[in-house]
C-alpha cells in the first residue's frame, strides 16, 4: 500500500490508493468516502482510525482547534483552525484571573468558538460525506450549524459512557443537546462493571479505540537482564498516582527483581512542579537505581519502551478514557489499571491483566505482586493482550458501525 499526498488549500489530508472496495456513505461500490474530523487537537488515540480510513482507500481530513505539545503527524497533518479573535481576547483575561488553576486552559474546550468564515470555507472545500466533531461545546455548536446549512451528515464524538446515569433535563442541557449532533459515538462502554440501573440513548453507539498489533508475543523478549520491567505512561499530574505506584515498587523491590520506568508529558508549570516533586522523592529515598523518569518522548521512543517492558501499570484515578494500556496490549504486555477509568473494560480480568480498586494502594500491590511472583503468568497474559487487540480493536468493526450509523441517519 502506498499513499499519495493531496494538497487542498494547505497541508491537511492524505488518500490511500489501494482501496479495491470503495464505499459511499450508503455503502455503494465505486465511491471514495470523504471523512472530516474536527477536534480540539490531534490525539494519538486517533492514529489507528486515520490509518484505517487511508488503507481502506478513503479520503480523510482533520481540523484541530490548536496544536498539542506532543503529536505524531506520520499519518496526517491537521489544519489548525484556531479560535476567533473575540474569544482569544476573553481567554486572556480568564487565564490571567485563574493563572493558579492547573485546568484553567480547559476553558477553551467548553467555551471557545471558531473563526466562523475560515471554518466554513475549510468545511466546504473538503465537502465531507461525513463529519465527526468532538464534545458538546460552543465550537461543536458552530460546526453542527454549518453542517446543517450545507446538509453534511455530522456525528458527535465524546467520552461519555454508552451506558450512563440519568440524562440531565434542565433547560441549559436541553438547549446544548438540541444544537449539537443527535447521533453520538464513544469509546467508553460504561463506568464500572455493571450496566444495571443505567440508561443508553438509542442514538449512541460504542466504538472502542483502535490499535495496530505492534509486537507479537512470539517476537517479544521478556525479562531483560533478569529483571521484570514495569512501565507507566501519562502526564505528570497528581491524579496519575505516580507516588502510590513508586511506593508499591519500592516495597516489592525488596523481594523481587523489579524496575519501574515512568514516561510522561511536561508541558506547563504545573506538570514541571509535580515532576520535580517526584524526582526529589526518588532521590531522597535512594530509589534512582530502580525507578527512572522520562519526559516528553516521541512516539517511536515510547514504542521502544513498550518493547523493553514486561508489564504495564496505569495507577491513575478519574481517567476519562485512557488508550495507553491498549497500546501496551499491542506490544504483548499484561496490563494493570484502576477501576475509575472509562476504558477499563478493555482489560479482561484475569485473562490479560487485572483491575484494582480506585486509589487502593494495597490492592494495587497485590495485583502487581501476582505477576511478579509468577513470570509464566506474565507471558500468558501478554499473549492474551495481543490476541484481544487483533480480535476486538481493528478498523473493520469501527468502519461497519460507522456505516450502520450513516444508514440510520439517511
Amino acid at each position: 500500500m502506498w499513499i499519495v499526498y493531496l494538497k487542498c488549500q494547505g497541508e491537511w489530508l492524505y488518500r490511500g490508493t489501494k482501496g479495491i472496495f470503495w464505499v459511499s456513505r450508503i455503502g455503494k461500490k465505486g465511491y471514495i468516502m470523504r471523512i472530516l474530523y474536527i477536534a480540539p487537537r490531534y490525539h494519538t488515540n486517533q492514529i489507528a482510525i486515520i490509518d484505517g480510513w487511508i488503507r481502506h482507500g478513503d479520503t480523510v481530513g482533520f481540523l484541530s482547534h490548536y496544536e498539542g505539545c506532543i503529536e505524531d503527524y506520520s499519518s496526517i497533518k491537521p489544519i489548525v483552525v484556531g479560535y476567533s479573535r473575540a474569544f482569544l481576547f476573553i481567554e486572556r483575561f480568564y487565564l490571567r484571573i485563574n493563572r493558579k488553576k492547573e485546568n484553567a486552559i480547559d476553558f477553551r474546550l467548553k467555551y471557545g468558538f471558531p473563526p466562523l468564515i475560515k471554518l466554513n470555507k475549510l468545511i466546504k472545500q473538503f465537502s465531507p460525506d461525513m463529519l465527526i466533531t468532538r464534545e458538546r461545546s460552543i465550537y461543536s455548536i458552530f460546526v453542527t450549524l454549518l453542517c446543517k446549512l450545507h446538509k453534511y451528515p455530522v456525528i458527535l464524538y465524546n467520552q461519555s459512557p454508552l451506558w450512563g446515569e440519568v440524562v440531565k433535563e434542565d433547560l441549559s442541557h436541553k438547549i446544548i443537546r438540541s444544537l449539537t449532533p443527535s447521533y453520538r459515538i464513544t469509546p467508553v462502554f460504561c463506568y464500572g462493571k455493571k450496566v444495571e440501573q443505567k440508561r443508553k440513548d438509542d442514538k449512541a453507539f460504542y466504538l472502542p479505540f483502535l490499535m495496530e498489533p505492534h509486537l507479537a508475543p512470539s517476537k517479544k523478549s521478556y525479562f531483560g537482564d533478569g529483571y521484570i520491567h514495569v512501565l507507566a505512561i501519562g502526564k505528570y499530574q497528581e491524579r496519575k498516582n505516580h507516588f502510590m505506584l513508586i511506593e508499591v515498587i519500592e516495597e516489592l523491590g525488596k523481594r523481587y527483581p523489579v524496575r519501574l520506568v515512568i514516561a510522561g508529558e511536561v508541558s506547563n508549570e504545573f506538570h514541571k512542579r509535580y515532576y520535580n516533586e517526584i524526582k526529589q522523592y526518588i532521590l531522597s529515598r535512594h530509589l534512582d537505581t530502580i525507578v527512572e523518569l522520562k519526559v516528553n518522548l516521541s512516539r517511536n521512543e515510547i514504542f521502544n519502551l513498550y518493547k523493553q517492558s514486561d508489564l504495564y501499570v496505569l495507577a491513575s484515578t478519574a481517567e476519562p478514557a485512557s488508550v495507553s494500556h491498549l497500546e501496551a496490549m499491542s506490544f504483548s504486555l499484561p496490563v494493570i489499571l484502576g477501576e475509575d477509568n472509562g476504558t477499563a473494560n478493555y482489560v479482561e480480568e484475569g485473562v490479560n491483566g487485572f483491575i484494582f480498586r480506585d486509589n487502593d494502594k494495597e490492592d494495587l500491590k497485590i495485583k502487581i505482586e501476582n505477576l511478579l511472583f509468577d513470570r509464566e503468568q506474565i507471558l500468558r497474559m501478554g499473549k492474551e493482550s495481543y490476541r484481544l487487540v487483533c480480535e476486538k480493536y481493528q478498523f473493520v468493526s469501527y468502519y461497519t458501525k460507522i456505516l450502520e450509523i450513516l444508514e440510520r441517519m439517511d
Side-chain angles (χ1 to χ4, degrees), residues 118-179:
K118 180 180 180 181
L119 178 64
N120 182 54
K121 181 180 179 181
L122 289 170
I123 292 175
K124 285 183 67 179
Q125 283 176 345
F126 191 84
S127 186
D129 296 302
M130 175 190 68
L131 188 150
I132 297 178
T133 185
R134 177 75 191 268
E135 300 299 342
R136 297 193 192 277
S137 64
I138 301 298
Y139 214 105
S140 283
I141 288 175
F142 282 105
V143 170
T144 305
L145 292 175
L146 290 174
C147 286
K148 289 182 178 180
L149 175 66
H150 301 301
K151 295 181 169 47
Y152 298 138
V154 57
I155 299 171
L156 180 75
Y157 162 66
N158 66 13
Q159 294 178 354
S160 298
L162 180 72
W163 290 91
E165 306 301 330
V166 177
V167 175
K168 295 179 180 179
E169 295 293 345
D170 57 276
L171 182 60
S172 61
H173 281 86
K174 284 183 176 180
I175 292 173
I176 292 294
R177 285 200 300 273
S178 70
L179 295 175

Side-chain angles (χ1 to χ4, degrees), residues 84-96:
S84 75
R85 292 181 180 179
F87 172 74
L88 292 175
F89 179 79
I90 295 169
E91 186 186 43
R92 278 197 296 271
F93 280 97
Y94 178 83
L95 294 178
R96 188 176 300 172

